[in-house]
Amino acid sequence: MFRSLSHVNYRIWFIGALVSNVGAWMQATAQNWVVLTELSDNDAFAVGITMALQFAPQLLLVPVTGLIADRFDRRKILMCTQTALMLLALGLGVLLIGGHAELWQLYVFAGLLGIVNAIDNPARQTFVTDLVSSTDMSNAVALNSASFNTARLIGPAVAGVLIVLVGSGWVFIINALTFVAVLGALAMLKGKKLKRMPRASRERGAFVAGFRYVWSRPDLVVVFVIVFLTGAFGMNFPIFSSTMAVEFGRGAGEYGLLNSILAIGSLAGALLAARRERARMRVVIIAAAGFGVAAAISAVMPTFVLFAASTVLIGFAAVTMLTTANGYVQTTTDPALRGRVLALYFAILSGGTPIGAPIVGAVANSWGPRWGLGVAAIAAGVAALIGVVWLVMSRGMRLARHPERRWAPAVRFDAPPTAAIAVVPTSAIAVPTEALQVPTEATPIASPDPRAQATPTGLPTVAAARPRANSVSRIPRVDTPTP
C-alpha cells in the first residue's frame, strides 16, 4: 500500500505536502464560514459565487497551464506558486484581523487564489511522476489523495476550534506559515534522483495537443464527463456542510466537525485505492453511482448526528471516484502530454464549479439545503448511467452465468475497459547473439516480461534469419504497462 514511500524524494515531498494540506483545509473552512456568517447574512449564493471565482480560472486558463507544466521545470513552478499562495493567505489574514475585510475583497482573493491554483495543480500532480518509478505512479497518486484527505480530517476541525477561540483571521495566518514546510521540502529534494520527463515541443499546435489527444481517446472523454457532472453539481461540500450546519442550528465548531467526518470516508477511499494495482474505468463508474446513493441518503437524514454519519459514505464514494479517475488519466496518458491532459482534467473537475456551485447554492436558498443534496444525487446518477451505457456500447459489457456459482451473474466484456494504454517510448539495447534464440515460423517470439503476454501491445514480428558469428543484434526494448 505504501510502496511509493520507498523513494526518498517522494517521502520528503509527502511530509511537506501533508503539513501544507492541513493549513489549506483550515483556510478553506474559514473562508467559506467567513463568507456565510461574517460578510453575508447566511447567503449560500455568496458562498457559491466565491467557489465559482476560485475555480473558474482553472477552466479558462487550461491551454496555458497544462503547457507550462509540460514545458518548464515543475520544481521551479511549484516554488513560485506555493510562495504566491503563502502571500495571498498572509494578506487576507491581516485584513480579517484588522477588521477591514469586505465581501468584494473575499471575491478578489478567491479569484487570485484560483489563478495561482490553475498553474499549481497540473504541475503538482505531474510532479509525482518525477519522484517515483512508472510502476509506482498509480500508488503515488493514491497516496497523494490519502495525504490530502488526512489533512481534510484534521484541518477543518482545527479551523472550527480556532475560529471560536481566536477568530477567522488567524486561521489564514497559520495557513501561510504551513507553506514553509512544502517550500522546504522542494528545496531538500535530491536533484540527481529526480526523473527528467519528456518536455513539450515549441512547435505550432502545442497548445491544443492535449485537446486532440483526449478527443482521440473515448475512454478519457467518458471519464471527463463523469468527473464534470459530479464535480459541478456534487462536489460542493462547503455549501452542503455550512447550510446543513445552519439547518440544524449549529455553529462553526460543528461545521468544522462535519468536514472532518466527511474526511474519514475520504481517507478510507484513498487508502483503498492505494491497495489496487491499477486504476480501472469500472471503479470510476461504480463510485459515481455510490456517490449518488450516498448524497440521497444524506438528504433525508433527520438529525445532525445521522447526517454527520452519512457524510462518511459521501466522502468514501467521492474520493474513490476522483482518485481512480486521476490515476487512470495519469497512467494511460502519453508522458509528453501528461501535463496538458491533467490540466484539462482539473479544468473539467474544478471548472464545473462556476456552473454548478451557484445553481446548487440558489437551490439551497430557495428550497432548502436538502434539495441541494438532491441535485448532487441526480447528477451523480446521470454520470454513472453514461458510464454504463459506454461500457455496453463500446466495450460490449454484458451479464453472463457465473462459471462456478450457478445462480450468481458475472460481468463479461468483449474488449477490456482499460484497453487504451499509453505508448511508452522505446529505446534500442545491444544484446549478444549468443543470448538470442532466433524464432522460426513454428516458434513464437518469447516476451522479455511474462506480464506482457496479457497486454494489448505485442512485440514486433522478427523475420527468421541466421546471424553471423560474434555479431551483435539490436532489438527494441519495450516497457509495457501491466494491465
Side-chain angles (χ1 to χ4, degrees):
M1 182 186 294
F2 302 103
R3 59 184 182 273
S4 297
L5 294 177
S6 63
H7 302 273
V8 61
N9 275 343
Y10 186 75
R11 286 200 303 272
I12 295 171
W13 168 255
F14 184 88
I15 295 170
L18 177 60
V19 175
S20 183
N21 283 336
V22 171
W25 274 111
M26 291 170 58
Q27 175 176 288
T29 304
Q31 173 186 312
N32 293 305
W33 189 254
V34 165
V35 173
L36 185 69
T37 63
E38 297 181 21
L39 300 180
S40 71
D41 187 17
N42 293 333
D43 189 354
F45 184 71
V47 179
I49 292 297
T50 304
M51 293 177 63
L53 289 171
Q54 185 169 332
F55 294 113
Q58 299 194 46
L59 179 63
L60 299 176
L61 301 177
V62 58
V64 178
T65 56
L67 190 59
I68 290 173
D70 278 337
R71 180 169 291 176
F72 299 103
D73 189 321
R74 293 161 188 160
R75 187 181 187 178
K76 294 179 180 178
I77 295 172
L78 292 175
M79 292 288 285
C80 294
T81 56
Q82 295 294 308
T83 301
L85 292 172
M86 178 179 66
L87 295 176
L88 284 172
L90 187 63
L92 185 58
V94 171
L95 283 176
L96 288 168
I97 292 173
H100 304 299
E102 298 180 11
L103 186 58
W104 70 267
Q105 292 171 330
L106 260 294
Y107 288 162
V108 172
F109 168 79
L112 293 175
L113 193 68
I115 292 173
V116 178
N117 275 326
I119 301 172
D120 181 83
N121 271 338
R124 179 160 38 87
Q125 292 292 328
T126 52
F127 187 57
V128 174
T129 64
D130 297 345
L131 303 176
V132 300
S133 63
S134 57
T135 55
D136 291 332
M137 191 187 306
S138 182
N139 179 257
V141 171
L143 289 184
N144 266 6
S145 180
S147 168
F148 184 75
N149 286 288
T150 299
R152 190 178 194 170
L153 185 65
I154 301 169
V158 174
V161 173
L162 290 176
I163 290 172
V164 174
L165 293 180
V166 297
S168 55
W170 285 103
V171 177
F172 289 85
I173 300 296
I174 294 172
N175 175 50
L177 296 177
T178 64
F179 281 99
V180 175
V182 71
L183 289 172
L186 287 168
M188 291 170 60
L189 293 177
K190 300 181 183 300
K192 293 183 179 180
K193 291 183 177 294
L194 285 174
K195 293 168 58 181
R196 302 301 175 188
M197 301 304 293
R199 298 302 182 193
S201 63
R202 297 180 180 272
E203 62 186 12
R204 178 181 294 183
F207 279 99
V208 297
F211 291 93
R212 293 198 189 103
Y213 181 82
V214 171
W215 189 251
S216 69
R217 291 273 307 275
D219 56 328
L220 290 185
V221 173
V222 173
V223 170
F224 283 20
V225 169
I226 293 173
V227 166
F228 171 78
L229 289 174
T230 53
F233 301 100
M235 305 293 178
N236 298 297
F237 301 129
I239 296 177
F240 300 145
S241 298
S242 59
T243 55
M244 287 299 286
V246 173
E247 174 85 359
F248 288 112
R250 305 304 174 108
E254 289 82 358
Y255 166 57
L257 182 62
L258 281 178
N259 285 280
S260 294
I261 293 174
L262 178 78
I264 295 174
S266 301
L267 179 59
L271 291 176
L272 185 61
R275 290 177 60 88
R276 299 189 187 97
E277 182 181 353
R278 183 161 57 91
R280 296 177 181 274
M281 167 76 80
R282 68 193 74 174
V283 177
V284 177
I285 298 170
I286 293 171
F291 180 85
V293 173
I297 292 173
S298 295
V300 298
M301 289 294 100
T303 65
F304 177 81
V305 173
L306 290 176
F307 172 76
S310 69
T311 61
V312 175
L313 298 176
I314 292 181
F316 178 82
V319 170
T320 298
M321 185 196 70
L322 294 180
T323 302
T324 308
N326 189 334
Y328 183 85
V329 171
Q330 289 216 48
T331 56
T332 65
T333 297
D334 186 339
L337 293 165
R338 190 172 288 139
R340 279 161 285 183
V341 173
L342 273 180
L344 184 56
Y345 169 82
F346 283 106
I348 294 295
L349 173 61
S350 302
T353 302
I355 300 172
I359 293 175
V360 172
V363 169
N365 270 346
S366 301
W367 298 340
R370 297 180 186 275
W371 282 101
L373 283 164
V375 171
I378 294 171
V382 172
L385 181 61
I386 291 172
V388 171
V389 170
W390 178 79
L391 286 179
V392 173
M393 301 295 293
S394 179
R395 300 302 184 191
M397 186 182 74
R398 65 191 185 281
L399 292 178
R401 180 177 297 178
H402 198 281
E404 298 178 359
R405 294 186 291 272
R406 183 175 181 182
W407 300 107
V411 179
R412 296 286 183 264
F413 296 91
D414 292 336
T418 53
I421 302 295
V423 177
V424 181
T426 61
S427 57
I429 56 174
V431 180
T433 55
E434 290 79 5
L436 294 176
Q437 178 182 0
V438 180
T440 64
E441 292 183 356
T443 306
I445 300 172
S447 170
D449 185 351
R451 297 173 299 173
Q453 297 290 347
T455 64
T457 306
L459 289 176
T461 303
V462 180
R466 182 181 299 276
R468 292 178 298 175
N470 300 325
S471 64
V472 175
S473 301
R474 298 182 69 84
I475 63 171
R477 181 178 64 203
V478 181
D479 300 321
T480 308
T482 304

